[in-house]
């Protein structure tokens, strides 16, 4: 059931014969890998389009990532710019357009290893925040790359709390210009991608002052580098912020402004305008803006979070059937490490989570499409719920997947630690997703605020959004499971998750009220509950993820073994969550200790079941060898050969001046062979 | 109570004035920082010696780590060799010797950033495994650096399971030589440090064959590079294994042997000898060998595991009182992020763990010194217990501290992600400690095997080693705590931890027996219990860590506020463990849900208490700015200034060919300013 011929998955000089220890795993798949791939892609046609894009990109040597692990930050940056420029040509050549069906697969096919991503954010911000006139002026220039844009919001001393930004834009009525300044070092723009070395323009967020009065944060288009020789414009100090844990290919930059003047027309003015006389006019609704933020959080889940986890699972699971270590039974051959219960317990829950969150992502996408349609009809009712879900799931999924990638890395022992395994860079990159686009703890607290509000409303009999109606229906029963098989019933475990989410929300709401009633000030009371509020928000998202997975499985076709294997994964995802967090389920006696033991037994049983299909389940993700870029995870499982051949190409195998300079003088006394 | 004048902590051009947000934290310390430092060092004299070593190393520019985050792997290797060679000179100059009191501080002062560490392992293995004659021949040569040694055990396809190593050494009676070979690719030696580029000799572990019979793994001294021109010796293929997640400064290598001949005298023969006629003689006891392995596991805890966590805590906590973000109360100044309960909940348990494991380490060191004395008297009774404790604690402490460093990194948001924060390299380095010197899961299972054995023995009324006598005394009571203050009593929480450890061991022992009685084969039954066995081993270590911390606090001097603050940290360490793992405590009803709520309340209260002393508690670790090498963690807290000045020096701020090659042609259509 292999998707592509083996030869396509090969890299370098390794022969294409599949390692029998890996090959045998594919013989016994209980389901059709090809059908599961199509399900994940959203249909066989999508699979076809995706593969065509991948084929076109990977067969073009300009897009090669072969030497990536050997390159310096400077080389990575240069390669990313080269690829970004070449991509324009490629798209033209292939007839791909930004609105075409291929577009969404390009980034995946490049593994995100390309420059000018912020150029797109620059364009999006103008489209969303700019007037029609501004759009008409700037978007064509940007589309034709007559400028390179960036997006400068975060400052050295200010991230999440936008109101705290310190950059100023003072309106000069006489000159009809804004004067932008960085009043102190903490106000320096810091982190904007593409700004360190590439961008000619950027959207700067600054506090708007008119006649000495502050009107809050507004966006301004500012040119930072000459279009002729790329030198910095007058008043501009800019550069690269230096080495990071990953994203070597991106020139994250800094920017200081000293009396930089831009014309009045450069303030993006769809929602707010400064008239020539300095009159400040607010127009239209900014709610759509709020919606944009939530869309970004959802859109990053697939490419930046799920794909890395899927890749890490592919690498670690393929490696774990090729690697043999120790004997289970004396006298027999050494055992595939995936046959150890402890190894299964590390990897298979990550695999289940990858599938669970894949379906969560589809659920969120649908919800957002619906929300978007409502908003276009000027109905903003769904916004608070969408914001709460996008915030909570951004945090929960990034956290879970980051931990998952780390587990995969560690489960591969020493070889997982080699950059050539691909796992370190997957980890160091996905880690950033816990921080950018809203720091996770802050996002979870936003979800919690929504939950508390809805819980109060529900308790008072008021209507609440669909995803939280369950908060109104507090049940005081007990979990009805009588044996371990009962815990393979989605109703049983979904109810248990629901019960925990309600309990954590209601008990924290009570604590909050008690504190306030005892005289603690509201903001202090909130702060004193935040650890528990975070727990409640996580429980809410976990519940929805489990419920959605179970409902998705219910609707799957029963053919080709798909529903059955997905049901196993859903059970594993749910039971693993209970097993790793038994306190939450035991706390009020909803689940008894005997039932927790049943969960443990059912969970451990499932590991052995899913282990049999582990390789086909990662094959279904359909990653090519090039996109995995891993000496451990290749389709043919020739791990040791690859590690060796690859290592030989490392720059660390070139002559080092250390010998002549230090080693030779040290050894100089010694004569010939000892 | 600052330890050194501020000026000593400065780096680069930043002025030495302390950020008032950091300075104010030091005004209110409830204890003497200097006395706590002395306690951690083991006395004020030790502190003095340590500081003198640090001063000597850091004032020598050859040992500078200033540009480390900008260097390539090749540059890091070269610098590490330079430092290793210079260190010989320095030691001579300073009068430091390997047996002197300064020696143990040198590695810490260098932050481990030096070559030839495996040269020392080479020497140690000869001292332990070699005959007197071999020691007399090789040790002087190694000491004078007439050769550079390495230690080649791990193979591409074989790590933990030594019996599985595939390299062969066949005895040739006629030539009185061993013929060493790498029979297939998985047998290639892989990972040995100093071997990729530096070493001239190595100790190779290989399966010994005499007259066609295999005698198992033995160590052989093999020359791999010419002492004259450093070229590879005949039959040797060797090189560097390429990029890793960290340890760029180390040339981890690979080695293939093709009919490489070494004289009979090169097999290390303290315990086993091959006589000229091929007779194999085993002599003496190998138990001391077994003890060496456990010593290595203990010795790495301090330098490789605790120091990184202490550094990470220092960086993250100092940053968290300088960084202000959002407002708790409208209208007020933005708040120090350490004032948020969620931030305290991230960082302070890591700080408590750093102290807890500091004292665990002292406990283990003492135990080992005692064990060593017994062994010298030919009493090997303590060995199984020492092995179980060293294995379990190596796993538990590396795992806990690695997670702790990651939490510190993430708690610093975007700036934590910059290499300049120092946190990414602390993380990527400490992570390796979970894998090397025994993979953690395997080690925990060894501890578990010991626990099960002792539990069985204890149940049968047989005597067991001191650390596990508690397994015999299974109590079926309930936790007597009546309110949250009761949980500040070490007896209460230590008993609870003990109860959990006993329960997990006994229930797993029961499961194991039941499986075997039901007809499951012994090795399968063991495998089916491993997930729970790991839990039992962790619970055992956690219990001992808590108990030891409480006992240590009990014995501390009450002067200068030391005992009081250590008591708070001990409470926090214990309660955090319960709070994060409530299921284990609730399971059999020993602790009630109401009591778990008391724990939560007491735990959250403690966070606010310890928060006040957080900065003095990290100051007491006494790291200089040079050793932290962090733009966030400096003693003066001038975070933003440092980040900016440091970033300007990055190679990414040099001209890139990307402009002329790609950007200029792309932008060529555009004329002057838009």
């Amino acid at each position: 059931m292999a998707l592509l011929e083996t030869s396509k998955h090969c890299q370098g000089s390794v022969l294409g014969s599949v390692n029998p220890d890996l090959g045998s795993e594919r013989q016994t798949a209980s389901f059709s890998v090809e059908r599961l791939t199509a399900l994940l892609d959203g249909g066989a046609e999508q699979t076809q389009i995706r593969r065509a894009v991948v084929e076109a990109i990977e067969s073009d040597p300009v897009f090669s990532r072969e030497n990536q692990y050997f390159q310096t930050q400077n080389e990575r940056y240069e390669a990313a710019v080269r690829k970004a420029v070449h991509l324009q040509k490629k798209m033209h050549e292939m007839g791909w357009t930004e609105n075409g069906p291929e577009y969404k697969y390009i980034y995946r096919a490049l593994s995100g290893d390309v420059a000018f991503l912020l150029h797109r954010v620059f364009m999006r911000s103008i489209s969303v925040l700019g007037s029609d006139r501004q759009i008409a002026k700037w978007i064509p220039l940007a589309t034709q790359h007559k400028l390179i844009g960036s997006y400068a919001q975060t400052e050295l001393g200010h991230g999440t709390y936008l109101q705290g930004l310190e950059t100023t834009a003072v309106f000069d009525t006489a000159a009809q210009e804004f004067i932008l300044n960085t009043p102190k070092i903490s106000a320096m723009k810091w982190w904007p991608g593409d700004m360190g070395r590439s961008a000619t323009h950027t959207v700067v967020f600054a506090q708007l002052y008119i006649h000495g009065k502050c009107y809050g944060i507004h966006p301004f288009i500012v040119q930072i580098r000459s279009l002729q020789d790329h030198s910095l414009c007058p008043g501009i100090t800019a550069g690269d912020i230096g080495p990071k844990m990953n994203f070597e290919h991106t020139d994250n930059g800094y920017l200081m402004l000293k009396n930089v003047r831009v014309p009045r027309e450069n303030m993006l003015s769809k929602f707010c305008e400064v008239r020539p006389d300095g009159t400040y006019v607010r127009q239209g609704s900014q709610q759509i803006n709020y919606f944009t933020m939530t869309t970004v959080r959802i859109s990053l889940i697939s490419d930046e979070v799920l794909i890395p986890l899927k890749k890490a699972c592919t690498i670690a699971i393929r490696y774990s059937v090729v690697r043999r270590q120790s004997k289970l039974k004396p006298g027999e051959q050494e055992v595939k490490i995936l046959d150890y219960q402890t190894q299964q317990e590390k990897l298979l829950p990550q695999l289940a989570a990858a599938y669970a969150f894949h379906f969560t992502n589809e659920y969120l996408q649908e919800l957002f499409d619906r929300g978007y349609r409502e908003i276009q009809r000027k109905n903003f009712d769904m916004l608070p719920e969408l914001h709460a879900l996008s915030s909570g799931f951004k945090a929960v999924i990034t956290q879970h997947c980051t931990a998952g990638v780390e587990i995969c890395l560690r489960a591969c022992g020493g070889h997982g630690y080699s950059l050539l395994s691909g796992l370190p860079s997957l980890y160091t990159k996905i880690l950033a997703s816990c921080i950018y686009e809203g720091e996770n703890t802050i996002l979870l607290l936003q979800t919690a605020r929504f939950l508390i509000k809805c819980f109060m409303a529900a308790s008072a009999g008021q209507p609440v959004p669909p995803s939280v109606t369950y908060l109104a229906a507090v049940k005081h029963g007990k979990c009805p499971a009588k044996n371990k098989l009962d815990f393979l019933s989605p109703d049983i475990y979904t109810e248990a998750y629901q019960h925990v989410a309600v309990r954590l929300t209601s008990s924290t709401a009570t604590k909050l009220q008690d504190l306030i009633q005892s005289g603690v000030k509201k903001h202090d009371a909130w702060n004193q509950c935040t650890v528990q509020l975070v727990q409640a928000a996580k429980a809410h998202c976990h519940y929805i993820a489990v419920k959605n997975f179970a409902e998705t499985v219910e609707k799957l076709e029963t053919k080709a073994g798909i529903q059955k294997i997905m049901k196993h994964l859903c059970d594993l995802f749910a039971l693993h969550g209970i097993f790793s967090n038994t306190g939450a389920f035991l706390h009020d006696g909803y689940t008894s200790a005997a039932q927790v033991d049943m969960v443990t037994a059912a969970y451990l049983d499932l590991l052995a079941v899913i282990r049999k299909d582990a390789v086909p389940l990662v094959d279904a993700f359909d990653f090519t060898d090039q996109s995995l870029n891993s000496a451990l995870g290749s389709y043919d499982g020739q791990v040791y050969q690859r590690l060796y051949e690859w290592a030989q190409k490392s720059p660390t195998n070139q002559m080092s001046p250390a010998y002549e300079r230090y080693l030779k003088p040290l050894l100089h006394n010694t004569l010939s062979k000892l």
Side-chain angles (χ1 to χ4, degrees), chain A residues 62-264:
Chain A
V62 177
F63 296 119
S64 165
R65 295 163 67 228
E66 209 187 322
N67 292 317
Q68 185 173 300
Y69 304 128
F70 302 139
Q71 288 174 327
T72 65
Q73 194 178 355
N74 274 338
E75 289 163 345
R76 291 289 303 276
Y77 163 72
E78 194 189 326
V81 171
R82 184 182 69 229
K83 290 180 195 181
V85 172
H86 186 69
L87 181 60
Q88 302 307 316
K89 223 172 96 186
K90 190 84 186 175
M91 285 182 64
H92 184 74
E93 192 182 300
M94 300 295 298
W96 299 337
T97 65
E98 301 221 355
N99 305 315
E102 296 89 0
Y103 194 70
K104 64 174 167 176
Y105 298 119
I106 297 174
Y107 183 79
R108 171 180 168 155
L110 293 166
S111 294
D113 205 19
V114 63
F116 303 165
L117 297 179
L118 268 287
H119 182 68
R120 278 158 67 185
V121 178
F122 173 83
M123 288 173 71
R124 200 192 312 146
S125 65
I126 292 172
S127 307
V128 174
L129 305 174
S131 65
D132 292 345
R133 207 163 164 175
Q134 290 170 323
I135 294 172
K137 173 176 178 188
W138 294 98
I139 295 298
L141 292 170
T143 308
Q144 297 159 52
H145 287 92
K146 293 193 171 176
L147 58 82
I148 298 163
S150 173
Y151 180 88
Q153 181 178 298
T154 303
E155 297 177 354
L156 246 179
H158 306 277
T160 312
Y161 183 68
L162 293 186
Q163 294 165 59
L165 294 177
E166 295 178 293
T167 303
T168 57
V170 176
F171 186 58
D172 176 350
T173 321
Q176 291 290 299
E177 289 174 334
F178 295 102
I179 311 164
L180 283 97
N181 271 292
T182 302
K184 47 187 190 171
I185 188 157
S186 54
M188 196 185 307
K189 295 294 174 187
W190 198 264
W191 281 112
D194 293 329
M195 198 175 75
R197 315 176 84 166
S198 297
T200 60
H201 289 68
T202 189
V203 171
V204 171
F205 284 79
Q207 301 285 358
L208 168 65
Y209 284 86
I210 310 170
H211 302 318
K213 187 183 163 191
C214 181
Y215 287 84
I217 288 300
H218 289 73
F220 302 84
I221 297 179
V222 179
Q223 180 171 356
I224 60 172
R225 287 188 179 90
S226 155
L227 289 166
Q228 279 176 318
D229 63 3
H230 220 238
S231 62
L232 292 171
C233 294
I236 299 289
T237 304
D240 187 281
I241 65 166
K244 300 145 292 187
M245 209 168 172
N246 198 309
F247 290 88
E248 294 97 337
H249 64 287
T250 304
D251 54 326
N252 296 94
Y254 59 80
L255 172 69
M256 269 196 294
L257 303 144
K258 195 172 175 190
N259 292 324
V260 172
R261 289 178 168 263
V262 299
R264 192 178 61 90

Side-chain angles (χ1 to χ4, degrees), chain A residues 479-489 492-493 575 592 594-603 605:
Chain A
C479 172
K482 294 207 170 53
N483 57 55
K484 66 178 180 179
L485 294 178
D486 287 344
F487 276 104
L488 304 181
S489 153
I492 298 275
Y493 55 67
L575 299 188
S592 70
Q595 286 170 328
V596 161
D597 291 343
M598 293 170 202
V599 168
T600 304
Y603 166 63
D605 288 350

